[in-house]
Every structure is written in structure tokens, then in C-alpha cells.
Amino acid sequence: MSPSRALTLIVIFCALLECNSNHMHVDGQAVTSRRTLFQVQITEDDVNAFLDGVEDSVMNLAGFVLSNYRRRQALWESGTCKTRCSVLSCSTRQLTETNRQCLELPEANKVFSSQFCELSPGNYTRCSKAALSVESYVRLPGIPVDLDTGKISPDQELTICSQQDLDQQIFQGILFPNSTRLDKIACSMFGASNGVLRIHPGLELLPIICQNYRFDPRKRPWYRSMMGVSKQVVILLDLGSSVMANRISNTETTNLFDATVKIVGEFLDTLNTGDTVSVYTFGSTSTVNVGKVVMPDTSNDSVVNETLTPLKAAMEGISATFNAAPANLTAALEYLLSNNRGFNTSLNNSLKVILIFTGGKLAEGPTLSLPSISSIEQALTTLKIKLFIYQWKKLQSSDPTFTDLKSAACNLNAYHDEIPRDYILDDPLSALQSFYSYVAKIRYKLKKGKPLYTASFEPYNGLEDLIAVSYPVFDGDYLVGVAVMTIFENLGQLWESVINERKDEDIVTDPGPSLNCSASLSSMDVAVPGLGNSNGGLCSGSNLAAQSYEARTCCDVQCNQTQPGGSSGIKLSVGAIVGTAVGGCFLTIVLMILLYFRKAIGKFLKMNLKKTTPGNGGLVTEATEPTKSPDSVFSLLMG
């Protein structure tokens, strides 16, 4: 072998080694690929390694959330989390070069489709890269908050403030700067039990979405899956004088019954496929069945709404006089339990729950220590029914008209909680945090502490269908919220097969552990000076009325130009640089191979040019397989 040929072989070998040192980054950790340039086909091991990294990341996210939650009071009082504000998804913001990344969008993305980049009637172009903030954005469960007059509860303020450090703690390590394309991981999120959502990367939402659609993470499939235990729920609504005659506050016109109906209506939206719910009212003389619903086997919002609307309408149509007598809870419970009303007792492993909503003044008097308590307790135990008593908080702590339901709950092995009056109309689901915590803990134990894969769902931001990898955050037995990473569904048959192996049943069955009044469900009420007097750490919206939504969010040269291209002043993404490098590396090796084997290749081409196959109307030169482009090779190498 001549020295020149030997040198050429050495260079080729070194180039192969260099091109084989590809890395995949998940949670800031570099995972070296075992594939060579000529073995770029992704394998089952590659998919499993990627998903293992996603699971580790979401569990780490949950860990940081818990740490921040436990330090929330100290973070607020020290001012640590008030040094900067969080951006609301529905607030316009001018992104600078230092706080944005321009990421390639999936082909199926609909947010930046042609309808939002209109040139002239019938003439459109497409925004292929979105300006995403390296900082997380916040979204609240109501229709956009007016930062000057909108209500944010102290609990929500603490959540927004104390979880700001998630950006540096983990969010940016998951997606920035290691991943540069939204090709697999869509986003990372934390949905708090009080309805605050923190999502990374930050993306300003379309005005039409902000104006017309509420977004409550507790109603999203990935959050509801944490309560994915087969449930039969019976709801008892106090129709007595204490709820019909009393208002939420001295300044609020809504009475306690109407507020209760709002809480229950929101609760219905959090149920899962196959769950059943029956609603009864109980007054001074009778218990009345309002209606029953079996949740449909679908994730289609319109079908679910169609199913729930009649029951919601029936509750809202209930009328009663303000002079109603105190309700009789003992008689209502005896009525339900004597004939197993509302429950299918043949479903032995289904969680059976009674939720009682009451104003607290009952016909039984100041206490519920009656002889019938023992028979009710025995029936609850025999039927394996869990009892939750939700009592509206007293306006005055010394009010003698309220029944002592806390002691009754202890006698009934039930759980008792007070419904707060402040901010409850803005965040009705917060009243049921104890119930959600209890059910989520059952699900968590059945899952044996592993992350949960949810069925595909359509996100609000317009991206293609996603699969969520979720993990609950508990402080003791209290559900702080849910950490989640979403990945795209349509990644190929191999991905689908591996992901399906990691999924478990969407609905699992278990009667649940025993429940009593001393259940260790910590309270989120924290006495912190200054809470409730600010906008909760949310940044005011920028005055960018003159700049279109497309201009603020699109990274192509100008979204309204015919020939979009690389934007001046915007740096090439790391993905573009790496793609170019890999493509260049590939071409270099090809040229070297051609150089070394030029004679052999010449002979091969001469022979094959003469090779023909029969075709229609004569002889046709045999087609050869097209060479893969550098871009496709890069995609395969990156998995």
C-alpha cells in the first residue's frame, strides 16, 4: 500500500470516529449514541434510553417543585422570589436575543399556520420557527386576569413566586440549550393543585385563545390521569336554610348554595372515562335525586360536555325558598345507605365515595352524636364507602348555629374539611383538594411510584397530538400538583410500540385505604404578610399593539414576506450548526471514499450503466436507490 493510500485510510477512520460521537441530551445529560454513520437506523434500545431520560427528568422536576413548595414561605418573606416577575401566557411580550430561542416547529403545528401569517387574500406563507422564551410562562385557570384588578388568591401568589426558579433548576436543562428542535419533546410543565400552570418554553398565546378559552390544568388529561381510579361518586347538596339564606361574604351577592353548585359543576369536568356520579339534594323532610351521569369513553370535549350539560343544568335549575328549614343529614345518609342508592355494589374494586356539601346548620342540632351514627358508620364500612364532608367556613368562629361535623366525621371514619369563602368563586376546585389528594395517592401506590404515561390528547397550543409523561408531587399525603413532560405521538411505529409497553390501564380499580378525620392532608394556608395585595408576581403586559402577533412570535425573516428565510440578527440555532456539521462530515467521508476507491467505483459504474431491465416499450436503465440527504442522515443520527 502506498503512503498516500495509507494516509487516506487513517483520515477516513478518524472522520468516522468523529462523526460517530453524536450525543442526545435529556435533563442536561449527554448520552453518547452507539450508532455509526452507516448504522443510523434507530433501535428499540435508543427509544428506551430516551424515554428513561424523560422519566428521570419529570421525576427530577417533581423533586424541585416539592423543594420550592416547602420553602415557599421563606422564599416570599426573604424576597428571594420577588426579585423578578413571571410572564403570563396571555400577555404580549417583546422577546430579546437573550431570552429567546428560535425553534423549528413540527410540520403538524397549527399555531403558526398560514391563517396567522396572511400576506394578502389567498396568498400565504408559513412561519417555520417560533420565538420561544427560555423562561417559563404562567397561566391561570380563569379567562385572562386583569393584572390591575384581577383576583389571585394568596395560595396562587405563593405558587407563582416560589416556583420561578424551576427555569434554572431544571426547565432550561431539559430543553435549552441542548435540544434545538421541537421534534420529540414539546414542553415541560407543572400544574399546581390551585390551578396555576407553569410551562416551559414560554410561548405567547394567540389572542383568540386568551379571550375565549379557560385553561385549568386540573381538567387536562395528564392531570386527570392522576385520579384515574374507577370511581362511583354520590354528591349530597344541603338545601337547608344555612346555604340558601347566607352569602359568600357581606359584599358578595352569591349565596352558598349557588357557590356549591359552581364547585360541583367544576368537579364534574375532572372525572374520567367510566366514572359515575349521582347528585342528590337533602332538605328538612326529603332527599331528592337530581340526576346521574356515566362518563363517556372518549377524550372529545364536545361529547363530554354534551354528557354533563343536562346534569349541570338540573343543578342550576334547583329552586328553594330562603326560609327553608335546616336540612336533615342523618335522614339523607340513611336514605342512601339503606338501598345502596347511587352505587353499583357488584363493582367490588371500584372506589365508592359520598361528598357532602353543607352550610353547617342542620336539623340534628349542634352535634351529630346521635344513636343512628353507629348504624351509618357500620353501613359505610360494610359497603366500603368513603365519606368526605365539606362544610362552609364560619363567618364568625363562635357561631353556635353550626353543627359540629368534625367530631361526627371522626365517628364516621370520614374526612372533614372547611370550604374557604375568600377567592372560592375564582377557584372553585380548591375546595376539593383533600379528595383529589386522597384519590391521587391511591393511583400513585397502584403505579408503584413510577411515572405515568397518558393516552394521546390534543393540546390547546395547537401542536399535534401529544403523550404526557407525568409524576405527582406530594407533601405527605397532600397533592401539591403534577409535573409533566409532553412528547409527540407520531414519531413512528417503533416509538408507538415502546411507549405502549410503558403505558398501563387508563383506569385502575381499587377500593382505597381507610379514611378518617385525622388524615394527614397538610393545609396550603400559610400566614405570610403582604399576600393578597399584589398581582402575584406577574409581569404587566407590554404595549406592543402596533406589532402583530406574528411579528412577535415568528422567527422567519418577516412573517409577512413572500420568501421567508433566516432572520437578520438572529443567530443560527445549535441544531442548524450541528446539522451542517454532520452534513459536512458525511460529505467529507464520501469524498474520501471516492478518492480511495476511485478506480474500483469507475469499473462498477461502467458495468452497471450497461445493466438493463425490461420495461414498457423497450429497455430501461435500472434505477438505483437515491442517496440520503445530509438532513435526513442528521435526523436519524439524532434519533
Side-chain angles (χ1 to χ4, degrees):
M1 179 184 299
S2 68
S4 61
R5 288 194 175 185
L7 179 61
T8 304
L9 280 176
I10 292 173
V11 173
I12 292 174
F13 180 73
C14 290
L16 283 172
L17 289 179
E18 178 67 22
C19 286
N20 189 40
S21 61
N22 300 295
H23 296 78
M24 176 176 63
H25 296 264
V26 177
D27 192 21
Q29 302 296 315
V31 181
T32 303
S33 172
R34 295 186 297 271
R35 296 164 295 184
T36 68
L37 183 63
F38 301 109
Q39 296 174 329
V40 293
Q41 184 64 42
I42 193 169
T43 68
E44 185 174 336
D45 287 343
D46 296 323
V47 177
N48 277 311
F50 179 85
L51 295 177
D52 286 343
V54 170
E55 291 182 13
D56 289 342
S57 292
V58 79
M59 292 174 73
N60 288 337
L61 171 56
F64 282 115
V65 167
L66 180 59
S67 175
N68 295 336
Y69 171 79
R70 289 176 172 171
R71 296 184 299 121
R72 65 197 188 282
Q73 184 170 359
L75 289 171
W76 179 278
E77 292 179 338
S78 67
T80 303
C81 70
K82 293 189 289 184
T83 56
R84 66 183 190 278
C85 58
S86 296
V87 180
L88 196 65
S89 295
C90 292
S91 295
T92 58
R93 188 186 192 196
Q94 181 66 61
L95 293 176
T96 66
E97 292 298 326
T98 58
N99 66 8
R100 78 165 169 185
Q101 289 276 343
C102 287
L103 297 191
E104 229 177 283
L105 295 169
E107 287 302 315
N109 176 44
K110 291 175 283 188
V111 175
F112 301 96
S113 60
S114 57
Q115 61 179 310
F116 302 118
C117 293
E118 183 174 350
L119 300 176
S120 59
N123 185 15
Y124 305 100
T125 187
R126 187 179 187 280
C127 181
S128 62
K129 292 182 180 180
L132 300 171
S133 172
V134 298
E135 298 173 359
S136 56
Y137 275 23
V138 166
R139 193 164 188 196
L140 299 171
I143 296 237
V145 173
D146 183 327
L147 297 183
D148 297 321
T149 62
K151 290 184 178 180
I152 299 176
S153 72
D155 186 28
Q156 291 173 328
E157 277 190 78
L158 274 181
T159 298
I160 293 169
C161 189
S162 61
Q163 299 297 342
Q164 285 175 332
D165 285 339
L166 287 178
D167 289 343
Q168 289 76 31
Q169 288 171 333
I170 187 166
F171 277 153
Q172 292 174 1
I174 292 175
L175 193 58
F176 293 112
N178 302 312
S179 298
T180 56
R181 294 168 42 150
L182 296 176
D183 57 352
K184 290 181 182 62
I185 299 176
C187 60
S188 305
M189 296 180 286
F190 166 59
S193 60
N194 55 30
V196 173
L197 177 76
R198 186 171 286 274
I199 182 171
H200 184 269
L203 176 65
E204 178 189 339
L205 293 177
L206 287 167
I208 190 173
I209 293 178
C210 290
Q211 293 164 4
N212 299 313
Y213 298 100
R214 290 185 56 196
F215 184 94
D216 192 327
R218 296 163 295 189
K219 296 182 180 182
R220 300 302 293 152
W222 49 268
Y223 199 108
R224 295 203 320 268
S225 66
M226 290 298 157
M227 271 53 74
V229 179
S230 179
K231 298 182 290 296
Q232 300 182 63
V233 181
V234 171
I235 295 174
L236 275 175
L237 303 179
D238 182 349
L239 202 60
S241 58
S242 62
V243 294
M244 300 306 299
N246 291 319
R247 306 290 190 232
I248 289 289
S249 66
N250 293 330
T251 59
E252 177 60 58
T253 59
T254 303
N255 65 25
L256 297 183
F257 180 79
D258 290 339
T260 300
V261 168
K262 186 170 184 178
I263 293 171
V264 174
E266 295 287 301
F267 167 75
L268 296 178
D269 293 332
T270 67
L271 295 173
N272 288 303
T273 295
D275 288 345
T276 64
V277 59
S278 302
V279 177
Y280 292 81
T281 59
F282 66 101
S284 58
T285 58
S286 62
T287 302
V288 178
N289 184 4
V290 178
K292 179 179 180 179
V293 164
V294 179
M295 294 300 290
D297 184 10
T298 179
S299 59
N300 187 309
D301 288 341
S302 62
V303 175
V304 173
N305 290 337
E306 185 178 345
T307 301
L308 294 176
T309 295
L311 181 55
K312 290 181 179 180
M315 288 191 297
E316 292 170 357
I318 294 173
S319 61
T321 66
F322 288 124
N323 298 318
N328 191 323
L329 178 58
T330 302
L333 287 172
E334 289 176 336
Y335 173 81
L336 289 178
L337 298 173
S338 61
N339 293 296
N340 301 325
R341 288 179 173 88
F343 297 109
N344 182 351
T345 55
S346 64
L347 299 176
N348 294 324
N349 288 328
S350 179
L351 179 63
K352 303 177 184 68
V353 177
I354 295 178
L355 303 180
I356 298 172
F357 295 89
T358 178
K361 184 178 181 180
L362 301 173
E364 295 90 325
T367 65
L368 210 60
S369 300
L370 303 176
S372 57
I373 283 285
S374 59
S375 62
I376 292 174
E377 190 276 331
Q378 183 178 359
L380 291 172
T381 302
T382 301
L383 297 172
K384 298 180 179 180
I385 295 173
K386 315 302 177 184
L387 184 63
F388 289 78
I389 301 174
Y390 292 103
Q391 180 177 2
W392 282 96
K393 194 171 185 177
K394 303 175 186 179
L395 283 177
Q396 294 84 30
S397 60
S398 59
D399 192 336
T401 63
F402 279 68
T403 305
D404 182 11
L405 289 177
K406 187 171 181 60
S407 61
C410 290
N411 294 330
L412 294 171
N413 296 315
Y415 183 77
H416 174 271
D417 202 359
E418 291 186 330
I419 303 174
R421 297 192 179 211
D422 293 334
Y423 302 98
I424 195 63
L425 296 179
D426 300 296
D427 181 22
L429 286 177
S430 62
L432 294 165
Q433 289 179 353
S434 57
F435 170 78
Y436 291 124
S437 296
Y438 177 74
V439 179
K441 205 57 181 282
I442 296 174
R443 175 67 156 166
Y444 175 75
K445 291 179 178 178
L446 289 170
K447 187 63 178 171
K448 299 179 180 178
K450 296 180 180 179
L452 181 67
Y453 286 73
T454 63
S456 62
F457 64 96
E458 183 178 351
Y460 269 56
N461 61 10
L463 294 172
E464 63 182 74
D465 285 354
L466 302 175
I467 293 172
V469 184
S470 309
Y471 201 74
V473 183
F474 289 103
D475 183 25
D477 287 329
Y478 178 82
L479 180 67
V480 177
V482 177
V484 62
M485 286 179 63
T486 55
I487 55 179
F488 291 110
E489 178 185 32
N490 300 318
L491 296 175
Q493 186 174 357
L494 176 60
W495 283 84
E496 181 180 355
S497 175
V498 175
I499 289 173
N500 284 337
E501 290 176 3
R502 297 189 179 222
K503 288 181 182 178
D504 61 353
E505 297 178 38
D506 290 334
I507 304 298
V508 292
T509 57
D510 189 275
S514 61
L515 184 69
N516 57 63
C517 62
S518 59
S520 56
L521 297 175
S522 65
S523 172
M524 289 195 67
D525 293 330
V526 180
V528 179
L531 279 173
N533 297 319
S534 71
N535 63 12
L538 292 174
C539 302
S540 298
S542 302
N543 185 16
L544 299 173
Q547 189 178 27
S548 67
Y549 172 76
E550 305 87 70
R552 295 193 304 271
T553 55
C554 184
C555 286
D556 292 342
V557 172
Q558 288 184 5
C559 201
N560 58 357
Q561 287 188 355
T562 305
Q563 299 296 329
S567 174
S568 59
I570 296 179
K571 299 176 182 179
L572 278 176
S573 68
V574 178
I577 296 172
V578 173
T580 303
V582 173
C585 177
F586 176 79
L587 292 175
T588 300
I589 293 174
V590 170
L591 290 174
M592 290 179 176
I593 293 173
L594 289 173
L595 177 65
Y596 182 75
F597 295 106
R598 57 188 182 277
K599 291 185 179 179
I601 292 173
K603 292 181 180 180
F604 176 81
L605 290 174
K606 288 180 180 179
M607 289 187 297
N608 279 273
L609 285 174
K610 297 178 181 179
K611 185 176 180 180
T612 58
T613 55
N616 293 328
L619 297 176
V620 180
T621 303
E622 186 177 51
T624 56
E625 184 179 356
T627 305
K628 292 182 178 179
S629 68
D631 286 341
S632 61
V633 172
F634 168 61
S635 298
L636 288 170
L637 284 170
M638 295 301 289

